[in-house]
Amino acid sequence: MTSPSVTTTKPQAPAPAASTHPALSTPGHDTGLLLLRLVLGLTMAAHGTQKLFGWFGGGGISGTGQFFTASGYPAGDAMAVLAGLTETLGGLGLALGLLTPLAGAALVGTMVNAIAVHGTGAFFAPEGIEYELLLTAGAATLTLTGPGRYAVDRHLPVLRAHRLAHGAAALALAAVLAAVMLLVRA
């Protein structure tokens, strides 16, 4: 008698379920972050050069320093240099995606002071804070999300994979430094 031939087959592994979550970094996502970084960063850098060099119709250090003095800050010229450097370097850093958590937080701290000086008497321009608030929110968003794939940070080991903790810590530092600057203001 012969035994029937028995073939055993391995059970097939179930096909992986389609992910309902999109990839964290897609070309569209990264391109959108690049666009936001360029527009916000270069806008802020231009504001900084107005303060430092008088470019684009700005007051330069002297004119901006007078504004800071009139706004209650001591040493108006020094404050003009500090604000100008923060906006220029923070803006360029953001545009390049270089040290993004610090660059974004620097702009957030500067804009918190701008909102405080401008006042909150109204929301809409020309008297309101809508423009300053939008710049602050954009910088805070980039600080928390990271610069995306098209950024210099992708080549820095510690910032290659952006971590929310980096952005949150940078924003906490920005809040503390902005508060100190506001306390210095008379």
Side-chain angles (χ1 to χ4, degrees):
M1 243 203 222
T2 62
S3 65
S5 163
V6 177
T7 57
T8 58
T9 59
K10 286 193 211 172
Q12 294 289 330
S19 175
T20 58
H21 301 293
L24 292 177
S25 183
T26 64
H29 176 256
D30 293 321
T31 303
L33 288 173
L34 173 64
L35 178 62
L36 179 59
R37 282 194 355 255
L38 287 173
V39 171
L40 180 62
L42 294 177
T43 297
M44 290 304 297
H47 277 283
T49 62
Q50 286 181 306
K51 291 172 179 63
L52 292 173
F53 310 116
W55 294 354
F56 310 114
I61 292 172
S62 177
T64 305
Q66 291 172 5
F67 169 78
F68 274 107
T69 300
S71 297
Y73 288 94
D77 286 354
M79 294 302 296
V81 170
L82 181 62
L85 285 173
T86 302
E87 290 177 3
T88 302
L89 297 176
L92 292 175
L94 206 59
L96 292 170
L98 175 63
L99 302 175
T100 303
L102 293 176
L107 298 181
V108 167
T110 300
M111 295 313 299
V112 166
N113 273 267
I115 290 170
V117 168
H118 198 255
T120 56
F123 181 75
F124 294 106
E127 309 299 324
I129 61 167
E130 64 177 324
Y131 175 67
E132 292 87 354
L133 186 62
L134 184 60
L135 292 173
T136 306
T141 298
L142 289 167
T143 301
L144 293 172
T145 63
R149 191 178 319 168
Y150 312 126
V152 175
D153 282 354
R154 296 283 292 182
H155 303 287
L156 301 175
V158 76
L159 294 175
R160 185 170 294 133
H162 182 81
R163 290 176 180 52
L164 178 60
H166 293 153
L171 286 179
L173 178 63
V176 168
L177 294 176
V180 167
M181 293 311 299
L182 288 171
L183 290 173
V184 167
R185 184 173 168 232

